[in-house]
């Protein structure tokens, strides 16, 4: 197996072979399109297989995003055990690259030993007036052999200035199946100098959690970067011999999530400037010669399990490390159960030099992840320093109120900070107050209320369709009803909006029967399916229900119409919402799903007026429907699950229906219905579980009254077929149906 040094040597040799190019080389034009590559698309240069080998200036033309995929044949193997078969998608030696306004290439290499997305040797950069955005990603994996090398963009033996580089550089690497000593870098710079001022986005991830994957790696190179905003570096940065690094992050949209790692060479130099709400999330050891921690620069240690060291002391005692602190720097820490009683500090710095004339304060924001948050007095090491430069002003640490969320709650923590008797600081106490439910819980509560309303509307929709059919039509047989409805929920005193959109289909069959002490007896069965989309401010969900039931109809001797309907339904509720999970408080997109069963019964009581002619219809009515909803526990996501208690709700109506029939060969009937409705609602208990700890919450009480007006029509096409339509408008405050429209049809056997 080749060593890392041998592989880097091969880069240099290939670069030298192409270093002195004739000035008369033609300009290369490549029109790239998405393609599944085979070994025949590559040229073999003594074990280095190159898809496009470019010498001199080149133009790459694409139409949108281009993807190229390659899988190495299983029979390919190196001539010797210590050699690699290398796969290079693009290699340019000398000249400039014209990538147009935007170049976006997604590369995938499978079952290879080595994969390089783009190799740039002795290049003169990009044509600046045309180059705005370079987006290059590489997904390299191997299951048949170990992956020894993966580099998305390798820059070798080049000097590049800001004018020679795109405004936005976006480089991504994803690997799987890496060897233990593999090279895996999103951006690799060798024997080069890069001075860049723009937007840099680097990302490196290994699906097997190999920590030797780097967002940026320098070999004998200088890399000077100043962000213009929206720069995101996710992954560690590694410096090898004779390398220098300068990172300046100064915008609220800038983020560095990783460590600075070097190879213990005295010749390396590293310098980070953090200011103006730019954030550095880190853990472990960081080998820095200088850290300029300026006002509003956020050093976030909330994910770190142990001491974070920002110095060179542990790697080489001869190397100096200085942290220059400006008044207003921000430190975020997370206090866990494991911190109580331990002897370690959250942050260890080298020499500290306060640089504000009146004294430099570090503002500390504390997250309390302890199981028991009631204990106030603690003694946790916060910041340790090698020494403070006494020639400068004082260095202070001051706690600020910290507002944050966990999976189930939102909290405020206020700490108190004292000195450790030397130059460092400790957290002496902290008070944590619960503010309320988390954003995730609020979304679950609102979604639960929306699901209740959806089930209620499904039951009432069928009950209303059956009541209208039995009271207004003489047809018996097969019938169908299709409805769509949009409802807006103004929850928590109208501060949170929630919309549900429902589509429902119902099929039914009825026939005339004889019932005891009743005239005009009718019995029927029905089956319905509904799908409701739930749209919350920060979440989305879906409510599905399939229900079936029966109904009976009869008119008493005193001309009272009675309709009895019952139902049983099964369904599921699913919601997707952001949440904060774990002791590291990592924000993730979560998905929760629960199964549900519903059942209920309704009674319609109408006042029939047989004295009216067949052309007119008038019927006051009173109706009620009571129903139950039983929900199973949700699935568990990151140790979090929810369970809602069994629910019982009811609605009642008082209204009147009036209609007129236009006679003829195809009679047309028109109806209007107005009603006052009241929901006998109640709050439900929702229990949230997080890793065995339970908390209870209450949904809103949806009890309210509202009114509606419904207009409908029935057209009797012939003796057997009839079709109809209806539309409803509503007036309410909390649960606000905006409209409901539908069509129906029936066939008389």
């Amino acid at each position: 197996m080749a060593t890392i040094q041998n592989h880097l040597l091969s880069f240099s040799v290939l670069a030298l072979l192409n270093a002195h190019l004739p000035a008369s080389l033609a300009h290369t034009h490549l029109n790239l399109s998405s393609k599944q590559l085979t070994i025949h698309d590559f040229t073999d240069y003594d074990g280095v297989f190159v898809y496009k080998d470019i010498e001199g200036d080149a133009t790459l033309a694409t139409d949108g995003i281009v993807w190229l995929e390659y899988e190495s044949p299983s029979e390919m193997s190196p001539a010797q055990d210590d050699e690699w078969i290398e796969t290079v998608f693009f290699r340019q030696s000398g000249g400039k690259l014209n990538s147009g306004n935007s170049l976006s290439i997604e590369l995938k290499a499978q079952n290879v030993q080595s994969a390089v997305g783009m190799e740039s040797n002795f290049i003169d950069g990009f044509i600046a007036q045309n180059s705005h955005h370079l987006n290059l990603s590489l997904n390299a994996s191997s299951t048949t052999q170990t992956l020894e090398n993966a580099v998305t963009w390798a820059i070798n033996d080049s000097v590049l200035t800001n004018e020679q580089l795109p405004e936005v550089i976006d480089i991504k690497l994803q690997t799987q199946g890496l060897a233990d000593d593999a090279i895996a870098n999103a951006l690799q710079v060798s024997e080069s100098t890069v001075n860049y001022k723009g937007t840099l986005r680097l990302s490196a991830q290994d699906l097997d959690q190999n920590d030797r994957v780097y967002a940026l790696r320098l070999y004998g190179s200088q890399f000077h970067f100043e962000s213009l905003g929206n720069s995101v570096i996710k992954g560690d940065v590694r410096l090898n011999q004779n390398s220098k690094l300068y990172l300046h992050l100064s915008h609220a949209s800038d983020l560095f999530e990783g460590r600075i790692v070097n190879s213990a060479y005295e010749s390396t130099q590293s310098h980070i400037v953090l200011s103006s709400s730019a954030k550095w999330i880190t853990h472990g050891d960081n080998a820095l010669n200088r850290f300029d921690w300026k006002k509003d620069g956020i050093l976030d240690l909330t994910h770190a399990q142990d001491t974070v060291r920002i110095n060179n002391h542990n790697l080489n005692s001869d190397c100096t490390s200085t942290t220059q602190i400006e008044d207003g720097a921000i430190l975020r820490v997370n206090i866990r159960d494991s911190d109580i009683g331990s002897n370690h500090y959250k942050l260890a710095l080298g020499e500290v030099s306060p640089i504000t004339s009146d004294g430099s304060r570090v503002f500390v924001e504390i997250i309390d992840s302890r199981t028991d948050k009631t204990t106030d007095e603690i003694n946790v090491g916060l910041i340790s320093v090698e020494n403070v430069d006494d020639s400068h002003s004082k260095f202070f640490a001051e706690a600020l109120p910290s507002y944050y969320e966990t999976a189930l709650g939102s909290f405020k923590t206020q700490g108190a900070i004292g000195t450790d008797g030397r130059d460092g600081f400790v957290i002496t106490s902290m008070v944590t107050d619960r503010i309320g439910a988390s954003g995730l819980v609020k979304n679950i509560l609102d979604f639960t209320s929306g699901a209740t309303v959806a089930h209620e509307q499904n039951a009432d929709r069928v009950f209303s369709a059956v009541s209208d059919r039995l009271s207004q039509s003489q047809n018996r047989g097969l019938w169908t009803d299709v409805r769509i409805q949009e409802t807006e929920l103004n929850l928590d005193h109208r501060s949170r909006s929630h919309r549900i959109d429902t589509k429902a289909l119902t099929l039914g069959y009825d026939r005339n029967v004889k019932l005891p002490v009743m005239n005009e007896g009718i019995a029927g069965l029905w089956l319905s399916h509904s799908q409701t989309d739930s749209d919350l401010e920060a979440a989305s969900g879906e409510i599905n229900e399939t229900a079936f039931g029966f109904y009976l109809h009869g008119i008493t001797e005193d001309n009272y119409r009675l309709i009895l309907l019952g139902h049983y339904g099964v369904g599921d509720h699913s919601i997707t919402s952001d949440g904060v999970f774990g002791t590291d408080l990592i924000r993730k997109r979560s998905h929760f799903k629960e199964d549900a069963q519903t059942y209920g019964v309704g009674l319609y009581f109408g006042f029939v007026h047989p004295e009216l002619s067949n052309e007119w219809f008038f019927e006051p009515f009173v109706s009620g429907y009571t129903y139950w909803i039983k929900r199973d526990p949700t699935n568990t996501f990151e140790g979090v699950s929810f369970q809602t208690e069994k629910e019982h709700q009811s609605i009642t109506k008082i209204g009147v229906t009036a209609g007129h029939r236009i006679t003829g060969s195809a009679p047309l009937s028109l109806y209007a219905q107005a009603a006052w409705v009241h929901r006998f609602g109640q709050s439900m208990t929702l229990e949230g579980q997080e890793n065995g700890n339970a908390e209870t919450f209450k949904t809103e009480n949806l009890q309210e009254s509202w009114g509606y007006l419904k207009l409908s029509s029935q057209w009797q096409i012939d003796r057997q077929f009839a079709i109809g339509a209806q539309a409803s408008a509503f007036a309410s405050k909390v649960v606000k149906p905006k409209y409901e429209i539908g069509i129906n049809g029936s066939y008389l056997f």
Side-chain angles (χ1 to χ4, degrees):
M1 182 180 292
T3 64
I4 293 177
Q5 288 78 10
N6 287 340
H7 182 69
L8 292 174
L9 181 60
S10 70
F11 268 131
S12 301
V13 171
L14 288 170
L16 290 171
L17 290 174
N18 295 280
H20 304 289
L21 301 171
S24 59
L25 281 177
H27 190 112
T28 302
H29 292 266
L30 294 177
N31 292 314
L32 299 178
S33 59
S34 298
K35 186 178 180 181
Q36 183 77 42
L37 303 176
T38 69
I39 189 61
H40 304 293
D41 294 306
F42 290 79
T43 302
D44 184 4
Y45 295 91
D46 294 328
V48 179
F49 289 81
V50 183
Y51 173 55
K52 296 296 182 183
D53 196 15
I54 305 165
E55 295 184 349
D57 294 342
T59 295
L60 297 184
T62 63
D63 184 13
I65 299 175
V66 171
W67 58 264
L68 299 172
E69 294 187 7
Y70 170 69
E71 182 172 1
S72 176
S74 58
E75 64 271 12
M76 288 190 63
S77 59
Q80 300 181 28
D81 290 340
D82 62 347
E83 294 181 353
W84 300 342
I85 293 180
E86 301 184 25
T87 303
V88 181
F89 286 91
F90 298 95
R91 184 170 70 187
Q92 182 182 12
S93 300
K96 293 184 176 181
L97 181 63
N98 181 1
S99 60
N101 181 64
S102 178
L103 179 63
S104 185
I105 303 176
E106 297 180 0
L107 307 171
K108 187 174 183 179
Q110 294 178 283
N111 296 326
V112 295
Q113 287 184 294
S114 171
V116 178
M118 181 181 294
E119 181 182 319
S120 301
N121 306 312
F122 295 97
I123 64 167
D124 296 325
F126 292 71
I127 298 178
Q129 63 267 29
N130 295 329
S131 182
H132 297 291
H133 192 167
L134 171 64
N135 188 333
L136 186 65
S137 67
L138 173 63
N139 184 334
S141 62
S142 183
T143 57
T144 60
Q145 53 192 334
T146 55
L147 180 61
E148 305 285 352
N149 179 65
V151 178
T152 306
W153 188 17
I155 301 174
N156 305 313
D157 300 284
S158 302
V159 177
L160 300 174
T161 63
N162 187 63
E163 293 74 18
Q164 298 170 292
L165 293 167
E167 295 175 5
V168 179
I169 298 176
D170 196 334
I171 309 296
K172 300 183 182 70
L173 174 66
Q174 180 177 292
T175 59
Q176 188 171 25
L178 284 174
D180 292 338
D181 58 349
I183 298 173
N185 311 310
L187 177 59
Q188 177 176 292
V189 184
S190 303
E191 306 299 331
S192 300
T193 298
V194 177
N195 288 292
Y196 179 48
K197 191 174 184 179
T199 296
L200 180 64
R201 300 174 189 145
L202 303 177
S203 173
Q205 178 190 23
D206 181 69
L207 298 182
D208 299 324
Q209 306 302 317
N210 190 316
D211 61 359
R212 292 176 58 84
V213 177
Y214 301 99
L216 171 64
R217 190 164 187 171
L218 306 180
Y219 295 95
S221 298
Q222 297 185 32
F223 192 89
H224 187 285
F225 170 64
E226 295 184 45
S227 175
L228 294 180
N230 296 305
S231 294
V232 177
I233 302 174
K234 288 194 173 184
D236 294 345
V237 175
R238 186 177 182 90
L239 284 72
N240 285 61
Q241 65 275 18
N242 300 315
S243 294
K244 296 181 180 180
L245 171 72
Y246 177 83
L247 292 180
H248 190 163
L249 305 178
S250 57
H251 296 79
S253 56
D254 293 339
L255 169 66
F256 172 32
E257 187 173 347
R259 300 174 299 160
I260 302 295
V261 183
N262 74 23
S263 300
Y265 295 105
E266 295 182 13
S267 57
T268 61
Q269 294 184 25
S270 53
H271 183 184
I272 290 183
V273 180
L274 193 68
S275 66
S276 305
S277 297
K279 185 188 294 185
W280 179 14
I281 301 174
T282 189
H283 64 281
D285 293 340
N286 289 267
L288 271 181
N289 296 94
R290 179 171 168 180
F291 176 32
D292 291 355
W293 196 1
K294 295 193 171 183
K295 182 179 180 181
D296 293 328
I298 302 171
L299 180 61
D300 190 330
L301 312 184
T302 55
H303 297 176
Q305 298 292 331
D306 210 333
T307 302
V308 174
R309 294 178 175 84
I310 300 180
N311 54 46
N312 270 326
H313 181 75
N314 288 350
L315 297 173
N316 193 321
S317 59
D318 295 329
C319 294
T320 60
S321 178
T322 301
T323 298
Q324 293 198 342
I325 301 178
E326 186 178 38
D327 188 54
I330 298 173
L331 174 65
R332 290 178 180 166
V333 296
N334 193 343
I335 304 302
R336 302 175 174 83
D337 291 334
S338 58
D339 294 315
I340 308 302
S342 70
N343 294 320
H344 69 257
Y345 286 80
K346 305 301 289 186
L347 175 63
L349 300 173
E351 293 185 0
V352 171
S353 178
I355 58 175
T356 306
S357 58
D358 295 331
S360 295
R361 291 172 299 174
V362 173
F363 293 124
V364 182
E365 298 176 358
I366 303 171
I367 293 174
D368 187 355
S369 292
R370 296 174 301 164
T371 304
D372 180 9
K373 295 179 173 61
T374 60
T375 303
D376 298 340
E377 300 299 323
I378 62 173
N379 186 31
V380 175
L382 180 63
I383 302 174
S384 70
V385 299
E386 292 181 5
N387 69 284
V388 176
D389 188 345
D390 294 331
S391 65
H392 292 75
S393 55
K394 288 284 291 180
F395 165 41
F396 305 97
E398 180 179 324
L400 293 180
S402 178
Y403 298 87
Y404 56 93
E405 283 191 358
T406 64
L408 300 181
S410 58
F411 298 88
K412 172 190 172 184
T413 295
Q414 174 70 65
I417 297 174
T419 62
D420 63 355
R422 298 181 293 275
D423 290 323
F425 299 93
V426 296
I427 302 173
T428 58
S429 67
M430 62 181 182
V431 176
T432 298
D433 297 319
R434 183 184 179 88
I435 300 173
S438 67
L440 171 64
V441 169
K442 290 179 181 178
N443 288 336
I444 298 289
L445 289 171
D446 289 355
F447 178 72
T448 301
S449 296
T452 297
V453 172
H455 287 299
E456 173 190 284
Q457 290 178 342
N458 291 339
D460 183 61
R461 186 179 299 114
V462 175
F463 192 28
S464 295
V466 169
S467 299
D468 291 347
R469 170 177 170 78
L470 298 183
S471 62
Q472 300 168 13
S473 172
Q474 299 299 316
N475 289 353
R476 300 294 164 254
L478 187 66
W479 59 273
T480 183
D481 184 89
V482 178
R483 307 273 184 104
I484 60 174
Q485 183 173 15
E486 180 179 327
T487 303
E488 198 173 85
L489 283 74
N490 293 327
L491 301 174
D492 195 20
H493 304 292
R494 308 185 193 180
S495 65
R496 300 200 301 272
S497 65
H498 180 193
R499 194 184 78 228
I500 57 176
D501 299 321
T502 301
K503 304 177 184 67
L505 169 66
T506 306
L507 299 173
Y509 175 78
D510 50 35
R511 59 179 297 176
N512 296 323
V513 297
K514 290 184 178 182
L515 296 176
V517 302
M518 302 284 267
N519 300 319
E520 299 183 23
I522 303 170
L525 299 173
W526 58 269
L527 174 69
S528 74
H529 178 75
S530 64
Q531 177 180 314
T532 301
D533 295 324
S534 177
D535 183 14
L536 296 95
E537 288 184 345
S540 61
E542 188 172 292
I543 303 151
N544 298 301
E545 182 181 19
T546 300
F548 64 91
F550 71 94
Y551 54 90
L552 298 171
H553 168 276
I555 298 178
T556 69
E557 295 293 339
D558 297 327
N559 295 316
Y560 296 128
R561 188 190 308 275
L562 297 178
I563 301 174
L564 177 68
L565 183 142
H567 90 274
Y568 177 81
V570 294
D572 59 76
H573 313 150
S574 60
I575 180 174
T576 300
S577 172
D578 283 345
V580 180
F581 298 93
T583 56
D584 290 343
L585 302 184
I586 298 176
R587 182 165 292 276
K588 296 181 179 180
R589 195 69 170 166
S590 63
H591 181 79
F592 293 96
K593 184 177 181 179
E594 64 185 7
D595 293 327
Q597 302 87 45
T598 68
Y599 54 93
V601 62
L603 180 64
Y604 173 98
F605 192 87
F607 301 88
V608 181
H609 290 267
E611 71 277 8
L612 297 176
S613 67
N614 291 335
E615 295 182 3
W616 296 97
F617 179 87
F618 182 78
E619 186 167 305
F621 68 90
V622 176
S623 70
Y625 205 97
T626 187
Y627 61 94
W628 291 261
I629 304 174
K630 182 180 181 299
R631 296 172 169 91
D632 295 338
T634 69
N635 61 293
T636 299
F637 181 90
E638 297 290 336
V640 176
S641 63
F642 297 93
Q643 169 75 72
T644 306
E645 68 173 333
K646 187 177 181 180
E647 177 182 0
H648 181 206
Q649 308 263 23
S650 300
I651 60 171
T652 187
K653 295 182 185 180
I654 300 175
V656 61
T657 306
H660 177 63
R661 186 183 191 194
I662 303 173
T663 59
S665 59
L668 176 65
S669 299
L670 303 175
Y671 297 93
Q673 184 180 101
W676 172 87
V677 190
H678 183 76
R679 176 186 300 108
F680 295 92
Q682 57 183 335
S683 295
M684 295 169 291
T685 299
L686 173 75
E687 182 180 88
Q689 290 271 353
E690 183 178 14
N691 296 319
N693 298 315
E695 294 188 38
T696 58
F697 308 90
K698 287 287 188 179
T699 64
E700 287 192 46
N701 189 336
L702 299 180
Q703 180 166 289
E704 67 168 334
S705 299
W706 71 96
Y708 73 83
L709 174 65
K710 177 168 62 177
L711 301 177
S712 61
S713 63
Q714 285 289 332
W715 181 29
Q716 190 72 42
I717 299 175
D718 57 27
R719 191 182 68 86
Q720 291 181 300
F721 290 100
I723 60 174
Q726 65 93 21
S728 300
F730 302 81
S732 60
K733 292 182 178 180
V734 179
V735 179
K736 301 177 64 175
K738 299 178 71 174
Y739 65 85
E740 182 184 47
I741 58 176
I743 58 174
N744 57 76
S746 63
Y747 176 79
L748 174 63
F749 286 102

